[in-house]
């Protein structure tokens, strides 16, 4: 990998379709902007239609010829995830890049439409559902990529399957860590299943380091420290863009910033926390996710 990989290293993406969840702001917007600049067909998958339309207009102002579309997606309601997939299929018959980026961080206790703890339900189960429902398009598209955005927060937890839904106790930061660890366990297990099925789709996990975004609105201390420690969203987006586009990126890897403590810098291959390599937890999480969402992955 080049020591200072940037969007300038991305090849022309003409004809390729890319979905970015949470593309209306922060690193998701920067991902969508970069992909549009390389002539991909970019789908902004956003919960807030008004903010999504604003992002679309900003990208169009910078790249008037960009092929870009807004499709509403609320990951906290699995019926709406199914609605997104149905609408996506009306417009596209391939999917080259799926970036599972959207998420919520450390909000007060809440539940999704199906009754799941909001962070686990949105950050993990929502993306598990989305990826599973788009799986056939990913598999039939040559060398497609699934990139799931995790966080350094996964380093401070290990899976507690007895409290994933916060029935016993709710700690906003711990619950966020569970959801981000689940993102990586899911990614590694997905890659193992891709490899076993003999398909050339690859799955990678990434983290953006310490990047200032509105994701931290519910975490006052982090929000305060942003002005001193955070990098800009355009830098935080680079690991996901690398995993989504670089010929050197490989499935089953974890990419993040290469600077001090992985808080800042250009993307490099990294090593996720010990708990993320627990294959028993990954298989258990997979089975639980299929049961909770009603989505069964078929790799044939």
């Amino acid at each position: 990998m080049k020591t200072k990989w940037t969007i300038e290293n991305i090849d022309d993406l003409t004809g390729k379709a890319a979905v970015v969840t949470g593309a209306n702001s922060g690193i998701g917007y920067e991902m969508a902007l970069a992909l549009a600049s390389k002539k991909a067909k970019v789908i902004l998958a956003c919960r807030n239609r008004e903010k999504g339309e604003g992002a679309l207009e900003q990208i169009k102002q910078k790249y008037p010829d960009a092929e870009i579309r807004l499709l509403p997606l609320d990951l906290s309601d699995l019926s709406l995830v199914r609605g997104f997939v149905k609408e996506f299929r009306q417009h596209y018959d391939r999917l080259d890049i799926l970036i599972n980026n959207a998420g919520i961080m450390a909000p007060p206790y809440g539940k999704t439409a199906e009754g799941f703890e909001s962070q686990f339900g949105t950050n993990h189960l929502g993306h598990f559902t989305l990826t599973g429902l788009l799986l056939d398009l990913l598999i039939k598209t040559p060398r497609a990529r699934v990139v799931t955005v995790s966080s350094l927060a996964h380093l401070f937890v290990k899976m507690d399957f007895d409290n994933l839904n916060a029935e016993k106790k709710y700690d906003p930061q711990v619950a966020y860590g569970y959801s981000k660890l689940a993102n990586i366990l899911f990614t590694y297990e997905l890659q193992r299943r891709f490899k076993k099925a003999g398909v050339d789709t690859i799955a990678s996990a990434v983290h953006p380091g310490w990047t200032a975004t509105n994701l931290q609105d519910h975490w006052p201390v982090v929000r305060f420290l942003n002005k001193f420690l955070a990098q800009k969203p355009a830098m935080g987006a680079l690991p996901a863009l690398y995993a989504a586009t670089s010929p050197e990126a490989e499935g089953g890897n974890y990419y993040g910033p290469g600077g001090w403590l992985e808080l800042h810098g250009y993307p490099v291959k990294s090593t996720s926390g010990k708990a993320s390599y627990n294959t028993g937890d990954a298989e258990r999480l997979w089975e639980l996710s299929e049961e909770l969402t009603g989505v069964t992955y078929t790799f044939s």
Side-chain angles (χ1 to χ4, degrees), residues 4-294:
K4 291 187 176 182
W5 189 94
T6 72
I7 61 173
E8 300 303 318
N9 297 107
I10 301 176
D11 293 333
D12 182 272
L13 299 175
T14 298
K16 294 191 174 184
V19 169
V20 182
T21 70
N24 56 278
S25 65
I27 63 174
Y29 171 79
E30 296 295 341
M31 294 172 199
L33 180 67
L35 294 171
S37 75
K38 299 298 180 175
K39 301 181 181 180
K41 299 176 182 178
V42 182
I43 298 87
L44 309 181
C46 304
R47 179 178 56 180
N48 187 307
R49 180 182 287 273
E50 182 178 353
K51 291 181 179 179
E53 290 173 347
L56 187 149
E57 287 304 314
Q58 289 180 49
I59 295 173
K60 275 287 193 180
Q61 287 177 12
K62 294 182 178 181
Y63 303 105
D65 297 328
E67 291 190 61
I68 188 166
R69 184 190 303 270
L70 170 65
L71 293 181
L73 172 64
D74 186 346
L75 292 160
S76 69
D77 186 332
L78 301 188
S79 67
L80 298 181
V81 177
R82 292 179 182 276
F84 168 88
V85 172
K86 182 178 180 180
E87 188 170 359
F88 177 85
R89 289 177 181 276
Q90 292 174 357
H91 301 286
Y92 305 93
D93 60 1
R94 66 181 292 145
L95 179 54
D96 299 83
I97 298 168
L98 171 60
I99 302 182
N100 292 322
N101 162 73
I104 55 176
M105 175 192 281
Y109 178 74
K111 292 184 177 182
T112 67
E114 288 75 25
F116 308 127
E117 186 277 314
S118 61
Q119 297 183 86
F120 181 70
T122 300
N123 299 352
H124 169 62
L125 292 176
H127 282 125
F128 182 91
T129 300
L130 177 66
T131 306
L133 295 176
L134 292 170
L135 189 65
D136 62 316
L137 290 181
L138 288 161
I139 289 175
K140 83 171 191 176
T141 304
R143 297 175 297 282
R145 311 278 181 100
V146 179
V147 180
T148 300
V149 180
S150 182
S151 164
L152 290 171
H154 88 276
L155 294 170
F156 306 105
V157 299
K158 60 180 180 179
M159 294 306 290
D160 181 357
F161 287 95
D162 294 327
N163 198 42
L164 286 182
N165 216 32
E167 295 95 342
K168 297 180 179 179
K169 178 184 179 182
Y170 180 68
D171 181 308
Q173 286 78 31
V174 172
Y176 179 67
Y178 287 156
S179 72
K180 296 289 98 179
L181 176 55
N183 286 154
I184 305 179
L185 287 167
F186 160 65
T187 297
Y188 292 167
E189 182 63 19
L190 179 60
Q191 178 60 34
R192 284 189 285 268
R193 296 185 181 221
F194 280 146
K195 186 175 181 179
K196 184 177 180 180
V199 299
D200 64 1
T201 311
I202 63 172
S204 303
V206 302
H207 78 89
W210 190 323
T211 301
T213 72
N214 58 14
L215 186 67
Q216 296 120 355
D217 285 351
H218 295 292
W219 207 332
V221 173
V222 174
R223 193 170 66 245
F224 171 75
L225 291 173
N226 276 349
K227 65 182 74 175
F228 308 106
L229 298 174
Q231 62 181 355
K232 294 182 179 180
M235 284 296 294
L238 290 181
L241 289 168
Y242 176 87
T245 65
S246 174
E248 298 176 5
E250 298 177 342
N253 282 346
Y254 176 68
Y255 300 100
W260 181 69
L261 296 179
E262 299 186 24
L263 298 180
H264 317 94
Y266 296 92
V268 298
K269 179 182 175 182
S270 183
T271 301
S272 54
K274 181 178 178 181
S276 69
Y277 295 101
N278 187 319
T279 57
D281 280 357
E283 291 173 4
R284 184 176 178 183
L285 177 66
W286 190 282
E287 292 172 2
L288 177 64
S289 300
E290 289 194 333
E291 178 185 338
L292 294 175
T293 65

